Amino acid sequence: MRILIVEDETSIANFVRDGLEEEGFAVDIADNGKKGLQLALDYIGDYDVIILDWMLPGLNGIEICRNIRKENTDVPIIFLTAKDTVDDVVFGLEAGANDYVRKPFSFEELLARIRVLMRKNISETSIFSASGIELDVDKHSVTRNGLPVDLTQKEFALLEYFIRNKGKACRRTRIIEKVWDIHFDYDNSVIDVYINSLRKKLDEPGKPSIITTLRGVGYKIESDE
Ligand code: CA
């Protein structure tokens, strides 16, 4: 799951990025408005959430938000801004944002709001399961047949992507776009390394891997249904 942060204050951008990466997100940062809009439009469909500062050099957050909405995309947008009056919040939401967090902010609150926006509907749970594996996004935990499995951040992110898309073919290019950030150098063998380590941690000896290789395409986790 990939997030864009448009924020000109480096300390805030890095603080949010570090926290999100610990949760398994891939994170891109734009430090000015023009770059932010450019990334948002170039990678439209790759971002699961966009976090937008309001006061930015180049192009302000309101203009970015309106321009993204002009493209008819429903990517969730959260304002993260020091503009804190009720009028500001209303103005931000009217520009097309889904949520609004005032600075100073708590990371826990921002994360909770991101999780809510990523749910397709209110009743969707944070727990995904397939083939004896259970992944809890909120608790950031994984079990196999009820026993805890210790995964690295990237292993977790990869498994989360597969399990959210269980039963579907996950193409390698799509995996890279959703699990790695913009600095990924498209070295395909990196995916194989992570798939291997996931299999080692998740598969049961003597049984077929829970991650099926689709030759020339990518990978798939079977749906239980
Ligand atoms: Ca700013």
Side-chain angles (χ1 to χ4, degrees), residues 7-9 53-57 103:
E7 170 65 72
D8 59 321
E9 270 179 71
D53 185 18
W54 182 318
M55 291 171 285
L56 288 159
K103 293 174 184 167

Side-chain angles (χ1 to χ4, degrees), residues 5-215:
I5 302 171
V6 188
E7 170 65 72
D8 59 321
E9 270 179 71
T10 311
S11 58
I12 294 177
N14 290 346
F15 170 71
V16 174
R17 179 198 59 204
D18 291 351
L20 291 174
E21 284 182 348
E22 275 173 26
E23 297 293 322
F25 290 97
V27 179
D28 295 333
I29 294 175
D31 62 2
N32 68 69
K34 281 188 177 143
K35 188 176 164 198
L37 180 61
Q38 191 66 52
L39 283 181
L41 298 182
D42 283 355
Y43 296 92
I44 221 158
D46 292 351
Y47 293 121
D48 296 284
V49 172
I50 295 175
I51 299 170
L52 209 48
D53 185 18
W54 182 318
M55 291 171 285
L56 288 159
L59 198 64
N60 72 43
I62 294 290
E63 293 169 280
I64 295 171
C65 192
R66 286 187 180 136
N67 275 293
I68 293 171
R69 288 295 177 243
K70 259 191 225 160
E71 296 302 312
N72 229 346
T73 162
D74 55 3
V75 57
I77 297 174
I78 304 179
F79 268 109
L80 179 62
T81 168
K83 306 227 1 139
D84 63 354
T85 69
V86 172
D87 283 350
D88 293 332
V89 176
V90 170
F91 197 69
L93 295 175
E94 281 179 352
N98 303 72
D99 205 349
Y100 198 102
V101 176
R102 297 172 172 98
K103 293 174 184 167
F105 64 102
S106 93
F107 179 75
E108 290 305 313
E109 184 190 343
L110 179 64
L111 180 63
R113 288 173 184 274
I114 289 169
R115 297 268 192 238
V116 168
L117 287 177
M118 283 177 59
R119 288 181 192 163
K120 290 185 191 75
N121 53 60
I122 299 291
S123 62
E124 189 180 294
T125 85
S126 68
I127 299 169
F128 298 85
S129 61
S131 309
I133 310 289
E134 203 168 85
L135 181 145
D136 187 326
V137 173
D138 287 353
K139 288 190 187 149
H140 201 71
S141 65
V142 174
T143 59
R144 189 193 75 178
N145 301 329
L147 296 171
V149 182
D150 197 22
L151 298 183
T152 66
Q153 289 163 19
K154 270 289 171 264
E155 288 165 358
F156 185 92
L158 197 55
L159 181 63
E160 182 184 349
Y161 181 70
F162 284 144
I163 212 160
R164 279 178 183 269
N165 294 286
K166 65 182 176 183
K168 294 182 200 161
C170 298
R171 291 171 192 283
R172 292 176 70 96
T173 48
R174 200 79 193 114
I175 294 167
I176 292 167
E177 286 161 356
K178 292 304 249 184
V179 178
W180 274 273
D181 62 37
I182 199 170
H183 303 294
F184 187 76
D185 64 4
Y186 275 84
D187 176 1
N188 262 333
S189 63
V190 172
I191 294 186
D192 300 326
V193 171
Y194 281 98
I195 295 284
N196 282 339
S197 61
L198 261 186
R199 282 176 169 156
K200 270 191 201 131
K201 291 183 180 182
L202 297 175
D203 289 347
E204 294 180 72
K207 291 194 179 171
S209 175
I210 67 148
I211 303 167
T212 312
T213 302
L214 307 170
R215 295 247 168 265

